[in-house]
Amino acid sequence: MPDSTKFKKSFRFAIYTSLYITFYITLLTSVFLYFFYELKWYYVLILAVVTYLFSFGVIQFRVERFIYKRVKKIYDDLTLLESASLTKGAITTDMRTLTQEIDKFARDKKIEIEALKVREQYRKEFLGNVSHELKTPLFTVQGYILTLLDGAMNDENIRTKYLERASKGIERLGYIVNDLDMITKLEVGDLQLNIEIFDIVELVKSVFDMFEMKASKKKISLMFDTGYNRPVMVKADKERIQQVVANLIVNSLKYGREKGTTEVSIENLIKNKVIVRVTDNGEGIEKVHLPRLFERFYRVDKSGSRKEGGSGLGLSIVKHIIEAHDEKIYVESEIGVGSEFSFTLEKAK
């Protein structure tokens, strides 16, 4: 703490202590004069005033020279902990005020420590998940390449098959790295949104076209809940919203039941909002998983299998993109019935 820090004097201790001393000495002296000498009121008054002034001076000097040093030590120690709320004001020797400030500081620090513990736990989980997600495709690629180097490359059929599998592993690594980069940019605000007006119905149709082949492999029907004869114009970043819809539909296809359906509906929510719903009749998600569903690498399937590929970051990216638009995303699901992901968008005027 710099030497220029202001010192706020507290006279309460000196005032009350001086009164106690004055009362005691004056009473004792009055009794002594009453019994042994003549008791005159002005003698008692003069004694009381002199005693009070002397006591106040001595006590206040003690407060400033001794208590102040100890209080300043407390402030200096708290400054090491970067307590802005304490250091911005004057140093006070008032014990009640100091106690209140210390109590508030302790409560704030306790909340901060709890938050840091939660973040530390999240960091450990995140690093563990990243390690696991990167390790699996890396070991896969390494295994195929080592097998080829050990002589399997001489067999054309094995060489082709192993190179294709290694290529898929590298593609998976690319997904993870690209998605991590995007999430980082979204979180720090470096990813700029290109806001424009577009037809959300046409965008969904284009996404349906993108995944028509993937859906046909599981005999899943991609459909609207109703016919949209008129465009539904919204105001957002078209490329990012396409990514949101694509991720939700891919997720639906991944966990959808064979010969099932993935249905998209677009409804007016309030005067200037629409809500886009992506609904399937797949396996569903247990309620215990719903609060953490949008966390990075969070898996409902604890076996850790990634038969469907992907980076494991799709839903986290969806949440960040929607929140970057200052919109909301919701999820409802029931085991054996299916899931519904929905998000809001601003309507174009």
Side-chain angles (χ1 to χ4, degrees), residues 240-257:
R240 299 305 172 196
I241 296 303
Q242 182 174 5
Q243 189 175 8
V244 167
V245 175
N247 280 343
L248 292 180
I249 289 178
V250 166
N251 197 65
S252 176
L253 296 176
K254 186 185 299 184
Y255 299 105
R257 68 177 60 173

mmCIF file of all heavy atoms in Angstrom, residues 240-257:
data_model
loop_
_atom_site.group_PDB
_atom_site.id
_atom_site.type_symbol
_atom_site.label_atom_id
_atom_site.label_comp_id
_atom_site.label_asym_id
_atom_site.label_seq_id
_atom_site.Cartn_x
_atom_site.Cartn_y
_atom_site.Cartn_z
ATOM 1 N N ARG A 240 -23.745 -19.087 -40.324
ATOM 2 C CA ARG A 240 -23.695 -19.676 -38.980
ATOM 3 C C ARG A 240 -25.005 -20.391 -38.640
ATOM 4 O O ARG A 240 -24.984 -21.454 -38.011
ATOM 5 C CB ARG A 240 -23.389 -18.597 -37.935
ATOM 6 C CG ARG A 240 -22.066 -17.905 -38.138
ATOM 7 C CD ARG A 240 -20.921 -18.884 -38.201
ATOM 8 N NE ARG A 240 -19.666 -18.241 -38.591
ATOM 9 C CZ ARG A 240 -18.601 -18.884 -39.007
ATOM 10 N NH1 ARG A 240 -18.628 -20.212 -39.101
ATOM 11 N NH2 ARG A 240 -17.512 -18.244 -39.353
ATOM 12 N N ILE A 241 -26.128 -19.824 -39.053
ATOM 13 C CA ILE A 241 -27.411 -20.474 -38.781
ATOM 14 C C ILE A 241 -27.526 -21.767 -39.584
ATOM 15 O O ILE A 241 -28.081 -22.763 -39.108
ATOM 16 C CB ILE A 241 -28.584 -19.525 -39.087
ATOM 17 C CG1 ILE A 241 -28.534 -18.310 -38.152
ATOM 18 C CG2 ILE A 241 -29.917 -20.245 -38.940
ATOM 19 C CD1 ILE A 241 -28.558 -18.648 -36.677
ATOM 20 N N GLN A 242 -26.957 -21.779 -40.786
ATOM 21 C CA GLN A 242 -26.929 -23.021 -41.558
ATOM 22 C C GLN A 242 -26.121 -24.080 -40.811
ATOM 23 O O GLN A 242 -26.477 -25.257 -40.798
ATOM 24 C CB GLN A 242 -26.333 -22.777 -42.944
ATOM 25 C CG GLN A 242 -26.329 -24.019 -43.817
ATOM 26 C CD GLN A 242 -25.866 -23.739 -45.242
ATOM 27 O OE1 GLN A 242 -25.455 -22.627 -45.567
ATOM 28 N NE2 GLN A 242 -25.927 -24.730 -46.093
ATOM 29 N N GLN A 243 -25.039 -23.642 -40.196
ATOM 30 C CA GLN A 243 -24.220 -24.559 -39.402
ATOM 31 C C GLN A 243 -25.006 -25.089 -38.207
ATOM 32 O O GLN A 243 -24.898 -26.275 -37.857
ATOM 33 C CB GLN A 243 -22.955 -23.840 -38.931
ATOM 34 C CG GLN A 243 -21.940 -24.739 -38.277
ATOM 35 C CD GLN A 243 -20.652 -23.997 -37.952
ATOM 36 O OE1 GLN A 243 -20.571 -22.775 -38.085
ATOM 37 N NE2 GLN A 243 -19.642 -24.726 -37.523
ATOM 38 N N VAL A 244 -25.803 -24.225 -37.575
ATOM 39 C CA VAL A 244 -26.636 -24.646 -36.449
ATOM 40 C C VAL A 244 -27.630 -25.712 -36.886
ATOM 41 O O VAL A 244 -27.752 -26.781 -36.278
ATOM 42 C CB VAL A 244 -27.383 -23.432 -35.846
ATOM 43 C CG1 VAL A 244 -28.481 -23.903 -34.890
ATOM 44 C CG2 VAL A 244 -26.412 -22.517 -35.111
ATOM 45 N N VAL A 245 -28.371 -25.421 -37.965
ATOM 46 C CA VAL A 245 -29.379 -26.366 -38.461
ATOM 47 C C VAL A 245 -28.710 -27.679 -38.872
ATOM 48 O O VAL A 245 -29.206 -28.775 -38.572
ATOM 49 C CB VAL A 245 -30.162 -25.751 -39.638
ATOM 50 C CG1 VAL A 245 -31.133 -26.779 -40.227
ATOM 51 C CG2 VAL A 245 -30.924 -24.511 -39.187
ATOM 52 N N ALA A 246 -27.567 -27.574 -39.550
ATOM 53 C CA ALA A 246 -26.857 -28.779 -39.993
ATOM 54 C C ALA A 246 -26.420 -29.624 -38.809
ATOM 55 O O ALA A 246 -26.580 -30.854 -38.807
ATOM 56 C CB ALA A 246 -25.649 -28.379 -40.839
ATOM 57 N N ASN A 247 -25.870 -29.002 -37.778
ATOM 58 C CA ASN A 247 -25.432 -29.750 -36.601
ATOM 59 C C ASN A 247 -26.594 -30.431 -35.890
ATOM 60 O O ASN A 247 -26.472 -31.572 -35.427
ATOM 61 C CB ASN A 247 -24.704 -28.827 -35.618
ATOM 62 C CG ASN A 247 -23.267 -28.574 -36.019
ATOM 63 O OD1 ASN A 247 -22.701 -29.296 -36.818
ATOM 64 N ND2 ASN A 247 -22.671 -27.522 -35.468
ATOM 65 N N LEU A 248 -27.722 -29.740 -35.813
ATOM 66 C CA LEU A 248 -28.887 -30.324 -35.143
ATOM 67 C C LEU A 248 -29.456 -31.492 -35.946
ATOM 68 O O LEU A 248 -29.865 -32.511 -35.366
ATOM 69 C CB LEU A 248 -29.958 -29.249 -34.920
ATOM 70 C CG LEU A 248 -29.610 -28.155 -33.903
ATOM 71 C CD1 LEU A 248 -30.755 -27.159 -33.779
ATOM 72 C CD2 LEU A 248 -29.286 -28.745 -32.538
ATOM 73 N N ILE A 249 -29.468 -31.359 -37.259
ATOM 74 C CA ILE A 249 -29.987 -32.444 -38.088
ATOM 75 C C ILE A 249 -29.033 -33.637 -38.076
ATOM 76 O O ILE A 249 -29.457 -34.801 -37.988
ATOM 77 C CB ILE A 249 -30.257 -31.951 -39.524
ATOM 78 C CG1 ILE A 249 -31.475 -31.021 -39.511
ATOM 79 C CG2 ILE A 249 -30.478 -33.117 -40.478
ATOM 80 C CD1 ILE A 249 -31.824 -30.421 -40.844
ATOM 81 N N VAL A 250 -27.728 -33.381 -38.139
ATOM 82 C CA VAL A 250 -26.739 -34.467 -38.045
ATOM 83 C C VAL A 250 -26.887 -35.191 -36.716
ATOM 84 O O VAL A 250 -26.850 -36.430 -36.647
ATOM 85 C CB VAL A 250 -25.304 -33.911 -38.207
ATOM 86 C CG1 VAL A 250 -24.278 -34.942 -37.771
ATOM 87 C CG2 VAL A 250 -25.059 -33.508 -39.641
ATOM 88 N N ASN A 251 -27.061 -34.429 -35.642
ATOM 89 C CA ASN A 251 -27.247 -35.028 -34.328
ATOM 90 C C ASN A 251 -28.507 -35.884 -34.287
ATOM 91 O O ASN A 251 -28.541 -36.967 -33.700
ATOM 92 C CB ASN A 251 -27.329 -33.917 -33.273
ATOM 93 C CG ASN A 251 -27.104 -34.432 -31.865
ATOM 94 O OD1 ASN A 251 -26.025 -34.899 -31.540
ATOM 95 N ND2 ASN A 251 -28.134 -34.350 -31.042
ATOM 96 N N SER A 252 -29.559 -35.384 -34.940
ATOM 97 C CA SER A 252 -30.816 -36.124 -35.003
ATOM 98 C C SER A 252 -30.660 -37.424 -35.785
ATOM 99 O O SER A 252 -31.172 -38.476 -35.382
ATOM 100 C CB SER A 252 -31.901 -35.251 -35.649
ATOM 101 O OG SER A 252 -33.100 -35.964 -35.820
ATOM 102 N N LEU A 253 -29.941 -37.361 -36.900
ATOM 103 C CA LEU A 253 -29.712 -38.565 -37.702
ATOM 104 C C LEU A 253 -28.824 -39.556 -36.961
ATOM 105 O O LEU A 253 -28.997 -40.775 -37.068
ATOM 106 C CB LEU A 253 -29.063 -38.190 -39.038
ATOM 107 C CG LEU A 253 -29.898 -37.320 -39.994
ATOM 108 C CD1 LEU A 253 -29.082 -36.950 -41.222
ATOM 109 C CD2 LEU A 253 -31.176 -38.049 -40.405
ATOM 110 N N LYS A 254 -27.869 -39.032 -36.217
ATOM 111 C CA LYS A 254 -26.921 -39.895 -35.503
ATOM 112 C C LYS A 254 -27.628 -40.775 -34.478
ATOM 113 O O LYS A 254 -27.326 -41.954 -34.333
ATOM 114 C CB LYS A 254 -25.857 -39.026 -34.825
ATOM 115 C CG LYS A 254 -24.740 -39.795 -34.175
ATOM 116 C CD LYS A 254 -23.797 -38.865 -33.420
ATOM 117 C CE LYS A 254 -23.139 -37.855 -34.313
ATOM 118 N NZ LYS A 254 -22.154 -37.042 -33.566
ATOM 119 N N TYR A 255 -28.584 -40.165 -33.760
ATOM 120 C CA TYR A 255 -29.252 -40.897 -32.686
ATOM 121 C C TYR A 255 -30.704 -41.235 -33.014
ATOM 122 O O TYR A 255 -31.449 -41.684 -32.149
ATOM 123 C CB TYR A 255 -29.190 -40.085 -31.381
ATOM 124 C CG TYR A 255 -27.766 -39.828 -30.940
ATOM 125 C CD1 TYR A 255 -27.180 -38.562 -31.088
ATOM 126 C CD2 TYR A 255 -26.993 -40.846 -30.396
ATOM 127 C CE1 TYR A 255 -25.876 -38.334 -30.686
ATOM 128 C CE2 TYR A 255 -25.687 -40.624 -29.998
ATOM 129 C CZ TYR A 255 -25.131 -39.363 -30.147
ATOM 130 O OH TYR A 255 -23.840 -39.145 -29.765
ATOM 131 N N GLY A 256 -31.098 -40.996 -34.274
ATOM 132 C CA GLY A 256 -32.459 -41.324 -34.677
ATOM 133 C C GLY A 256 -32.639 -42.811 -34.917
ATOM 134 O O GLY A 256 -31.686 -43.517 -35.241
ATOM 135 N N ARG A 257 -33.857 -43.280 -34.771
ATOM 136 C CA ARG A 257 -34.122 -44.697 -35.008
ATOM 137 C C ARG A 257 -34.271 -44.956 -36.507
ATOM 138 O O ARG A 257 -34.674 -44.072 -37.265
ATOM 139 C CB ARG A 257 -35.378 -45.136 -34.271
ATOM 140 C CG ARG A 257 -36.669 -44.532 -34.803
ATOM 141 C CD ARG A 257 -37.881 -45.075 -34.073
ATOM 142 N NE ARG A 257 -37.814 -44.773 -32.648
ATOM 143 C CZ ARG A 257 -38.822 -45.021 -31.816
ATOM 144 N NH1 ARG A 257 -39.940 -45.569 -32.262
ATOM 145 N NH2 ARG A 257 -38.704 -44.719 -30.538
#
